[in-house]
Amino acid sequence: MLALALSALLASTSLSPTTMEQQASRHVLQEFERVGRRAPQTDPALTQAARRLAREALDDSPSGAVELLALTEAVSDANGTDPSPRSYVIRAWVREHAVETLLARKDLPQEPATHVGVGVAVEKDRAALVVLLAERKATLQRFARTLDKPGTSQSLCGQLASPLRGTEVYVTLPDGRVERPPLTRESGPSFCTRLLFPSEGRYTVEIVGRSERGPEVAAIFLVDVGTSQRKGEREHVVEPTTVEEARMAVLARINALRRAHGAQELALDDTLNGVAQAYSDRMAKEGFFAHVAPDGSDLRNRLTSAGSTYRIAGENLGMASGPLAAHFGIEHSPGHRGNLLGAQFTHAGIGVTFQKVDGRDQALLTEIFSSSVTPAATTATAPVDPLEEAYQAIATHRASRGLPALERNPVLEQIALDHARRALELDQPSVQLPGTKVHDRVFAALENSKSAAVDFYVAESPTLLPDSKNLGDRKNTLVGVGAVRGDSRTYGKGQYWMVIIYAAMR
């Protein structure tokens, strides 16, 4: 009798899902306040999505983060629109341990967030806890996510959050084509358009805004059209099961997106395909997922070893339950999206490796982009004019972001060249060097300059520009590039030491 009473007492004191959610939410708010960030507000859509993901996590989802397609489905079905909210998934065999694990985390406020959703699911003593954090970029009027009949149209209205502007709406059709419906109304950050859903299947609706950093997906949601949706069943994406099928399906998605944005379609290249496939295979075999391999080799090393030369190259990596799900995550990541839409690229290589991890399907996707693909033996070992190459790369990057061209300035060029020479001499690729103050020289030379910014990089090609906010800053109007090629004890032989100075005038 005593044992029975004690067991009943322990059962009655177990944390309820509601109590666990309250404790977790309170911890999230306190963590943001602790570091001086504004605490996010609880959002019904994110909460509903978090509860669904928690229920799914009890069955077969690993701790960590949710893959983006599953995350988008959950948020969309909850009538939310936040793209790529940060997700935290905790599973525990004892309910209290799930909350305790979250309370020990100190990384929740590492990035700003305006809204939060917390969900808990329990099964006996087991528990799953999910936290979703989003920085809301747009507010949309309610929009139906399931439609019974094809041919239906709906009005979509909303407003972008500052500093986004210049609304663009894109709709990906079930067959992979991308359309850009015209706006029926636009007033500052507010907009309206009308969307038509002509056939059965799944549609992805994206609202894109622009800032100084370039285009950014501000909102995204899914719409399912067809008779199956009457039963509340979502259409599942049919994933390719072979490398060749995956390669063609991913390329079709890339080119559909590029066409909608007015960019040239990419052609597959056998050499790039081989490099991409080898890298996906290597990541699967060696158990890592990164642009730099454990031995320190990167994309440039891999392309050079394969005998491919290029003016500029880029790489996207994705990992999900299938190659299309992996590409979905790539397509809606701002950094990766820049590669997908890069006007400087003409060729692509795609590799995918299928594997099982803890009994679950997983695809490792590698996408490589290049501006040219030629045999190394027939290409000169160095550009004819590194300055021209660098300026062309800058112009291409600016154009791909919808930004005005920069004016080449000889005064900035000379300052940049002096700094590049001094840096190579000291073997220090730094904006700040002993006895050299670049910004002071710029302000002294250009009396009407309002601001100045400097980028420094060391690379085997002058076109390998750093991912710099200065390059995408609309306020900058002048640019000067300095280039020196030489040998370095730290960075090797024959590298380009490149200095780029940007200036904004009053």
Side-chain angles (χ1 to χ4, degrees):
M1 179 67 74
L2 179 60
L4 181 61
L6 180 60
S7 174
L9 178 62
L10 289 173
S12 67
T13 58
S14 295
L15 293 177
S16 68
T18 300
T19 300
M20 295 172 68
E21 288 181 0
Q22 291 172 346
Q23 291 181 351
S25 297
R26 188 161 53 247
H27 173 67
V28 172
L29 301 184
Q30 290 173 346
E31 281 298 289
F32 273 78
E33 292 169 351
R34 177 180 62 83
V35 300
R37 287 192 187 276
R38 177 176 294 182
Q41 65 182 68
T42 301
D43 181 74
L46 290 177
T47 298
Q48 182 179 334
R51 288 171 177 166
R52 165 177 159 174
L53 294 170
R55 290 192 299 270
E56 295 175 355
L58 277 177
D59 298 327
D60 60 1
S61 178
S63 296
V66 185
E67 70 176 44
L68 187 56
L69 180 56
L71 181 57
T72 302
E73 287 178 342
V75 173
S76 181
D77 286 349
N79 291 309
T81 64
D82 294 306
S84 310
R86 285 184 286 138
S87 62
Y88 301 85
V89 182
I90 299 172
R91 299 169 67 196
W93 289 100
V94 179
R95 296 187 187 188
E96 290 78 3
H97 291 175
V99 177
E100 291 171 359
T101 300
L102 180 69
L103 296 181
R105 298 194 72 140
K106 301 299 180 183
D107 59 342
L108 297 174
Q110 61 185 354
E111 297 178 18
T114 58
H115 294 78
V116 62
V118 177
V120 171
V122 299
E123 183 178 310
K124 296 182 180 179
D125 284 338
R126 291 194 309 126
L129 187 156
V130 174
V131 176
L132 300 180
L133 288 165
E135 186 176 13
R136 189 148 296 167
K137 303 291 186 180
T139 303
L140 306 184
Q141 295 180 10
R142 193 172 182 86
F143 195 95
R145 307 302 165 86
T146 58
L147 303 172
D148 287 341
K149 296 180 179 179
T152 305
S153 65
Q154 288 192 82
S155 290
L156 172 66
C157 296
Q159 180 169 319
L160 296 177
S162 179
L164 295 180
R165 59 186 180 276
T167 307
E168 300 170 1
V169 179
Y170 295 91
V171 180
T172 303
L173 280 66
D175 61 7
R177 289 180 294 124
V178 180
E179 294 182 348
R180 181 180 174 181
L183 299 182
T184 56
R185 180 180 64 82
E186 185 174 21
S187 177
S190 300
F191 67 91
C192 279
T193 186
R194 191 154 190 88
L195 305 184
L196 175 65
F197 301 92
S199 59
E200 290 192 354
R202 169 178 286 182
Y203 295 74
T204 303
V205 180
E206 298 173 281
I207 291 84
V208 176
R210 291 184 179 272
S211 68
E212 293 179 349
R213 298 182 298 179
E216 182 175 352
V217 178
I220 184 172
F221 60 90
L222 309 175
V223 178
D224 282 315
V225 180
T227 54
S228 63
Q229 275 62 59
R230 295 175 184 173
K231 303 176 183 179
E233 301 172 354
R234 266 222 175 269
E235 176 185 293
H236 292 288
V237 175
V238 178
E239 290 281 3
T241 56
T242 68
V243 171
E244 190 58 33
E245 289 175 348
R247 186 169 286 149
M248 300 311 297
V250 170
L251 180 68
R253 297 297 175 95
I254 293 172
N255 281 334
L257 185 67
R258 289 177 68 88
R259 284 195 301 271
H261 285 263
Q264 176 187 352
E265 292 188 27
L266 302 179
L268 278 180
D269 176 81
D270 290 341
T271 301
L272 296 183
N273 282 339
V275 173
Q277 188 60 48
Y279 197 59
S280 285
D281 292 344
R282 180 179 179 183
M283 287 191 293
K285 181 179 179 180
E286 299 182 18
F288 71 94
F289 183 73
H291 291 286
V292 179
D295 61 2
S297 60
D298 59 11
L299 176 60
R300 288 174 294 173
N301 302 129
R302 296 193 287 276
L303 290 175
T304 301
S305 297
S308 173
T309 62
Y310 52 91
R311 291 179 55 249
I312 189 168
E315 180 180 66
N316 289 338
L317 301 179
M319 179 171 61
S321 56
L324 290 181
H327 179 73
F328 185 90
I330 289 173
E331 191 170 294
H332 299 100
S333 162
H336 292 94
R337 196 178 181 90
N339 280 339
L340 292 176
L341 297 176
Q344 70 273 29
F345 296 130
T346 58
H347 293 77
I350 298 168
V352 61
T353 299
F354 300 92
Q355 61 179 359
K356 291 279 188 179
V357 178
D358 296 330
R360 292 182 296 273
D361 291 330
Q362 185 180 85
L364 289 172
L365 175 66
T366 300
E367 301 172 348
I368 297 177
F369 308 92
S370 173
S371 59
S372 63
V373 184
T374 55
T378 63
T379 303
T381 58
V384 175
D385 187 341
L387 284 187
E388 293 300 330
E389 292 280 331
Y391 279 118
Q392 180 58 46
I394 291 171
T396 301
H397 274 264
R398 295 276 294 188
S400 69
R401 300 183 184 190
L403 298 171
L406 296 170
E407 180 183 345
R408 184 170 172 174
N409 184 273
V411 174
L412 296 181
E413 277 189 7
Q414 187 59 54
I415 297 174
L417 178 59
D418 292 345
H419 194 79
R421 287 171 174 167
R422 177 68 171 157
L424 178 58
E425 178 185 337
L426 297 176
D427 201 22
Q428 295 180 29
S430 173
V431 174
Q432 301 293 335
L433 295 175
T436 303
K437 296 183 178 180
V438 178
H439 293 81
D440 289 349
R441 288 191 62 186
V442 172
F443 293 134
L446 302 177
E447 295 181 358
N448 293 325
S449 56
K450 181 179 180 181
S451 64
V454 184
D455 287 340
F456 203 136
Y457 62 105
V458 179
E460 64 183 26
S461 168
T463 63
L464 296 176
L465 302 176
D467 186 10
S468 165
K469 65 179 182 180
N470 300 322
L471 181 59
D473 192 336
R474 186 177 291 272
K475 296 191 298 293
N476 291 330
T477 56
L478 304 181
V479 64
V481 178
V484 178
R485 193 182 192 198
D487 300 338
S488 162
R489 296 185 303 276
T490 306
Y491 297 93
K493 296 183 178 181
Q495 298 292 306
Y496 286 95
W497 290 58
M498 306 293 299
V499 176
I500 306 176
I501 302 178
Y502 303 90
M505 306 306 288
R506 298 182 190 277

